[in-house]
Amino acid sequence: MYKNQPKIIIAIDGYSSCGKSTLAKELARQLKYIYIDTGAMYRAVTLYCIQNDLFKQNVLKIAELEPILEHVAVGFELDLQGKAHTLLNGINVEEQIRNMEVSSRVSEVSSHAIVRRKLVALQQKMGEQKGIILDGRDIGTVVFPEAEVKLFLTADPEVRAQRRYKELIENGQTVSFDEVYQNIVQRDFQDENRAESPLKKASDAHVLDNTYLEKHDQLNVALEIIKNTFKSISNPNK
Ligand code: DC
């Protein structure tokens, strides 16, 4: 159905635990596009900082990261089922980057310009051929401000925390609901208020509030926006 359409870039931004990756993965499957979870890239750098003791008294020593950042390689590999796994210097860290320690430190690591510059450049390279969906915080504003489709996801923080808590428990992690809720609220605040490319809706993004929206309804809304974009690309005068 989308085979004969020109390849475009789809940017999905929004708050933590809003279901951005679930939506992005399903859209990528239907469109046969590449999906890039940019949050996973920031998480991988965070894991590197933890593994290399770069947090002193709970604060990242950015001056110690700077000279070694070029040796931090972040990438993805696909398994036989087509699921992407995050690689840190060639090692599969997909599970480790989802733990609460990484979650509680990733907003600080991602607030640093040198980290963002490196990862944004990598993301732009990955999207050079288009036919790509990226989710994150700054995709529609900084990474690909010219993306043909921009979606901005949001939902009530308590509803997001419930969903995230359920997911972590199902994955066997020991966390309390309150810990998950506080982490979400804190990350929202840090992501929105950092100086370097803060989380912000692009002026031309479509807002999808999924507090009361079922997954398949949200998917249909997104597909409709994408179809309309293809129509306007093929009939620019309409
Ligand atoms: O999508 P996520 O929750 O896995 O992202 C983890 C953190 O990474 C998030 O709190 C902020 C940061 N991030 C970012 O600053 N820019 C992005 N494009 C993606 C994530």
Side-chain angles (χ1 to χ4, degrees):
M1 178 179 181
Y2 302 103
K3 216 166 58 198
N4 299 320
Q5 301 293 349
K7 295 233 175 283
I8 61 169
I9 294 178
I10 301 175
I12 304 183
D13 288 304
Y15 293 93
S16 297
S17 305
C18 255
K20 297 187 294 292
S21 69
T22 310
L23 175 66
K25 278 182 206 158
E26 184 51 27
L27 291 174
R29 195 186 66 78
Q30 295 204 20
L31 276 90
K32 300 200 168 34
Y33 273 27
I34 291 168
Y35 161 59
I36 303 292
D37 172 356
T38 66
M41 300 169 76
Y42 288 94
R43 286 172 179 270
V45 176
T46 305
L47 181 63
Y48 179 90
C49 298
I50 295 170
Q51 287 174 340
N52 290 277
D53 275 331
L54 299 183
F55 286 94
K56 306 276 156 61
Q57 269 123 31
N58 258 340
V59 177
L60 174 66
K61 292 288 158 217
I62 191 70
E64 289 181 29
L65 176 63
E66 191 162 10
I68 49 177
L69 192 57
E70 64 177 304
H71 304 299
V72 185
V74 177
F76 297 98
E77 74 179 355
L78 293 181
D79 65 18
L80 293 174
Q81 284 73 44
K83 182 180 177 317
H85 295 260
T86 310
L87 301 180
L88 172 59
N89 288 334
I91 294 170
N92 185 337
V93 291
E94 186 57 33
E95 249 181 58
Q96 283 179 74
I97 58 166
R98 311 286 163 191
N99 70 30
M100 283 307 286
E101 187 178 6
V102 172
S103 297
S104 65
R105 299 195 185 274
V106 63
S107 282
E108 182 187 351
V109 174
S110 61
S111 69
H112 290 283
I114 55 163
V115 174
R116 303 205 70 81
R117 218 176 300 133
K118 176 187 172 90
L119 297 185
V120 167
L122 203 57
Q123 291 151 15
Q124 289 171 334
K125 185 115 197 80
M126 289 169 168
E128 263 173 359
Q129 308 296 318
K130 297 205 172 191
I132 193 168
I133 304 183
L134 303 98
D135 78 18
R137 305 293 188 288
D138 60 342
I139 310 300
T141 49
V142 174
V143 184
F144 288 113
E146 74 289 11
E148 288 83 353
V149 171
K150 296 182 188 176
L151 306 175
F152 189 88
L153 267 54
T154 180
D156 180 83
E158 188 139 350
V159 171
R160 285 188 272 141
Q162 292 282 7
R163 293 177 188 155
R164 186 85 189 112
Y165 174 68
K166 190 166 167 267
E167 204 177 273
L168 288 168
I169 295 295
E170 279 169 7
N171 288 338
Q173 296 211 27
T174 348
V175 281
S176 68
F177 172 76
D178 199 50
E179 206 179 339
V180 175
Y181 177 76
Q182 293 305 336
N183 175 254
I184 284 182
V185 173
Q186 192 193 340
R187 278 205 286 147
D188 285 356
F189 181 83
Q190 281 182 270
D191 295 347
E192 276 185 309
N193 291 287
R194 66 179 177 225
E196 239 357 273
S197 18
L199 165 64
K200 192 167 73 194
K201 184 188 97 60
S203 58
D204 51 349
H206 301 266
V207 177
L208 300 179
D209 182 335
N210 62 38
T211 306
Y212 303 109
L213 199 61
E214 294 289 337
K215 267 186 204 157
H216 64 270
D217 292 326
Q218 172 168 268
L219 175 68
N220 287 337
V221 174
L223 285 170
E224 208 44 47
I225 292 169
I226 293 166
K227 280 183 208 152
N228 286 336
T229 303
F230 284 135
K231 265 191 224 152
S232 62
I233 291 174
S234 54
N235 291 309
N237 299 323
K238 281 205 174 165

